[in-house]
Amino acid sequence: SLTDTPLETHKLPAEFLYGYATAAYQIEGSPAAAGRAPSIWDTFTHPDPKSGIKHTIDGLSGDVATDSFNLWKDDIALLKSYGANAYRFSLSWTRIIDFKNPPGEDGLEKINEEGVKHYRAIIEELVREGITPCVTLYHWDLPQVLHDRYGGWLDRKIVNDYVHYAKVCFNAFGDLVKHWITINEPWVISVLGYGQGVFAPGRSSNRNKSPEGNTSTEPFIVGHNIILAHAYAVKWFRENVAHTQGGAIGITLDTSFYMPYNDDPENVRAAQRAFASRLGWFADPIYKGQYPASLKEMLGTRLPELSPEDATVVKGSSDFFGLNTYTSNLVQDGGAEELYGKVKTGFTRPDGSHLGKQAHVSWIQIYPPGFRQLLNYVWKTYGKPVYVTENGFAAKSDALLSLPEVVHDADRVEYFRGYSNALLEAVVLDGVPVKSYFAWSLLDNFEWADGYTTRFGVTYVEYATQARHPKDSARFLKQWFEAHIAN
Ligand code: GBH
């Protein structure tokens, strides 16, 4: 049997994709270059003109970030030096579509050729270097114009605009790009953007100052429109691109692994509810054709109905399961927050011990067994090959130390050692078809509401000079994947 030989002698298949993930707003900077117009994240990260409220911890925005709009060749050189055979990055919708000029008679904006040219150069360079481009169409940077025009994700009109944008990208890059991710983390967009208001566009009825929106309804309307936008883009792709140019397309969802706090049946059910609210909300319609029963029960008419016509487009609309995951949680019944399934989550076991080492951020502890179990859960529940599209760690040392010591990120190395071995176990011992591993992230970068105070990179970025310094974790992953991908 497989277990007769040591695990480290087993290999991932030669076509396994190993690389790093980034997102446009987190790395590019140059918000006005090549004809780019503002997205909701540009608006959100600049102090509100009326109230002066700032939405990032350090008050900073993605205006500069890692300057990757200019330094993208250096980024690709880093990928190459790290032995990556794939790169997951996102396109900026407002650089590809021309939102600086009014729409045409069909209500749709024209292509911004300058923006297309920019990304075309990046994609060509990646291919030349033997690095497979995996393109995310939407990583949270909604065109501000569409938000202003009809409320963006709050209106079904967004489906038409999103499909238009997706078509432009398929047509412009589909000869070279064979891996497409429609949308990154719908739960985060819906809940943090329209429920808690801590991410753009910052809508929440639970805020003390200037409450806006409706936390009990908007997240579910937004979630619904995201599912439809994804599904109708995939429908177009399959009817027009898949059979000529080929390629796989799917969505990326995010979740922790949820474990009951103890054997108490209430807590066992709570863990199931946590999965239903975080993952099932999106995964059940997309892979099974309907919303989870527990969600319908909890939300009643506040959960939009999936019409039979839409359901046929939504069901089966992802070729793979794109998974972003960072940690595991112990789940208890209770908690009022329905956006989390009315559960309490934590890291502390009944005996007082912790799941693992704490990250610089509150929401991550190192717990590799949960990663292996999650890969099994996703495969068993949804039956699609799994692309791990993000996994990573914010080490405390990144925030505490400075150069030159800061590149010795022992905690991140520990994290990646545990998680890469857990992935190998899931593939080799459990038979889960995992096709990729993208570590988050290639570089320290703009970490949304955390600004630049949290660093996830395997490369330390000196923001004053934009100098890049490889951390020990980059070397670790290079060696690990060199040793574990078959030739
Ligand atoms: C990913 O989201 C994103 O895709 C990526 O852009 C980001 O840089 C990366 O994570 C690292 O954060 O502070 O308790 O409110 C992962 C899902 C959703 C997890 C937001 C952290 C905030 C938790 N993330 N969440 S809290």
Side-chain angles (χ1 to χ4, degrees):
S1 85
L2 284 171
T3 43
D4 291 342
T5 49
L7 184 68
E8 52 284 5
T9 64
H10 290 287
K11 304 252 173 181
L12 299 164
E15 62 280 5
F16 190 88
L17 300 177
Y18 143 66
Y20 294 85
T22 62
Y25 191 71
Q26 295 182 269
I27 66 163
E28 287 184 353
S30 301
R36 183 182 177 278
S39 78
I40 57 173
W41 267 98
D42 294 274
T43 310
F44 190 68
T45 54
H46 290 86
D48 186 300
K50 272 180 273 165
S51 63
I53 293 175
K54 291 178 178 175
H55 295 285
T56 53
I57 292 185
D58 51 14
L60 296 173
S61 70
D63 280 359
V64 179
T66 61
D67 195 21
S68 290
F69 179 80
N70 296 306
L71 300 180
W72 58 269
K73 274 195 185 153
D74 299 11
D75 295 350
I76 295 176
L78 272 179
L79 285 164
K80 192 78 187 155
S81 74
Y82 296 167
N85 65 14
Y87 180 42
R88 172 179 179 239
F89 60 102
S90 84
L91 309 178
S92 163
W93 189 342
T94 58
R95 243 192 258 279
I96 292 207
I97 302 294
D98 177 10
F99 286 99
K100 293 195 142 165
N101 290 297
E105 268 171 31
D106 57 358
L108 298 169
E109 282 77 7
K110 295 201 173 59
I111 302 176
N112 173 27
E113 297 296 350
E114 228 189 319
V116 169
K117 217 175 114 194
H118 170 75
Y119 290 112
R120 182 85 202 167
I122 293 175
I123 291 165
E124 284 176 356
E125 173 82 0
L126 285 167
V127 171
R128 244 193 317 274
E129 292 294 348
I131 299 171
T132 301
C134 299
V135 170
T136 307
L137 293 174
Y138 185 77
H139 201 123
W140 308 351
D141 41 3
L142 182 77
Q144 183 66 42
V145 168
L146 301 182
H147 184 75
D148 296 342
R149 191 175 292 161
Y150 51 72
W153 289 116
L154 286 164
D155 195 298
R156 191 181 169 132
K157 293 192 187 83
I158 195 68
V159 175
N160 203 27
D161 277 295
Y162 178 81
V163 173
H164 167 59
Y165 161 58
K167 282 184 201 174
V168 168
C169 298
F170 300 148
N171 287 334
F173 313 122
D175 58 332
L176 298 178
V177 174
K178 304 298 169 189
H179 296 82
W180 297 96
I181 292 151
T182 53
I183 290 172
N184 183 68
E185 301 186 347
W187 185 93
V188 171
I189 300 167
S190 310
V191 171
L192 303 196
Y194 299 78
Q196 301 179 338
V198 294
F199 279 13
R203 293 177 70 81
S204 175
S205 47
N206 297 337
R207 274 199 325 225
N208 303 331
K209 292 180 199 160
S210 60
E212 219 191 317
N214 185 339
T215 293
S216 69
T217 55
E218 287 191 359
F220 308 107
I221 296 167
V222 165
H224 194 73
N225 290 328
I226 290 174
I227 292 169
L228 296 179
H230 149 81
Y232 280 90
V234 171
K235 179 177 153 67
W236 194 89
F237 180 86
R238 287 181 178 161
E239 287 169 358
N240 298 280
V241 188
H243 61 281
T244 50
Q245 299 186 327
I249 188 164
I251 196 163
T252 278
L253 307 179
D254 77 293
T255 189
S256 304
F257 184 66
Y258 295 114
M259 306 175 280
Y261 176 74
N262 56 18
D263 295 343
D264 183 342
E266 300 280 290
N267 294 334
V268 173
R269 276 195 294 275
Q272 291 163 353
R273 273 203 318 281
F275 265 127
S277 326
R278 188 69 176 230
L279 209 56
W281 175 2
F282 302 96
D284 282 24
I286 290 169
Y287 298 98
K288 298 176 171 179
Q290 55 180 319
Y291 283 118
S294 65
L295 210 64
K296 287 188 202 165
E297 205 176 292
M298 186 168 71
L299 299 172
T301 54
R302 287 182 293 135
L303 187 66
E305 225 169 303
L306 198 56
S307 73
E309 193 196 335
D310 288 338
T312 57
V313 178
V314 168
K315 187 179 182 181
S317 60
S318 199
D319 295 334
F320 53 82
F321 198 106
L323 178 66
N324 287 357
T325 189
Y326 289 79
T327 197
S328 299
N329 283 136
L330 295 161
V331 184
Q332 284 175 275
D333 188 33
E337 187 52 273
E338 61 182 18
L339 294 167
Y340 291 79
K342 294 186 179 167
V343 302
K344 288 185 274 193
T345 57
F347 294 116
T348 314
R349 298 189 185 89
D351 68 5
S353 65
H354 281 204
L355 285 184
K357 192 170 280 175
Q358 179 65 47
H360 170 70
V361 290
S362 63
W363 53 277
I364 303 180
Q365 285 193 357
I366 305 180
Y367 188 66
F371 184 42
R372 176 175 173 185
Q373 288 183 73
L374 178 63
L375 292 168
N376 276 274
Y377 173 87
V378 164
W379 166 235
K380 276 197 204 105
T381 311
Y382 298 108
K384 286 283 176 187
V386 184
Y387 282 73
V388 176
T389 42
E390 283 179 31
N391 181 243
F393 191 72
K396 283 184 179 166
S397 60
D398 296 301
L400 295 174
L401 301 176
S402 46
L403 285 166
E405 295 82 16
V406 71
V407 300
H408 302 304
D409 54 342
D411 287 358
R412 185 177 284 101
V413 170
E414 178 187 329
Y415 179 94
F416 282 133
R417 178 178 289 117
Y419 279 69
S420 51
N421 281 305
L423 178 139
L424 188 64
E425 287 166 2
V427 173
V428 168
L429 303 181
D430 309 332
V432 181
V434 185
K435 303 292 182 192
S436 75
Y437 182 84
F438 292 96
W440 185 272
S441 179
L442 177 63
L443 307 156
D444 294 336
N445 58 44
F446 175 73
E447 179 53 23
W448 309 111
D450 281 1
Y452 298 92
T453 64
T454 296
R455 295 171 178 266
F456 272 91
V458 299
T459 311
Y460 184 82
V461 177
E462 237 180 309
Y463 290 113
T465 60
Q466 294 295 351
R468 273 84 157 133
H469 304 271
K471 300 179 194 175
D472 290 349
S473 53
R475 267 178 285 273
F476 170 80
L477 284 173
K478 177 179 201 271
Q479 285 166 8
W480 194 92
F481 280 95
E482 248 165 30
H484 291 97
I485 299 181
N487 296 320

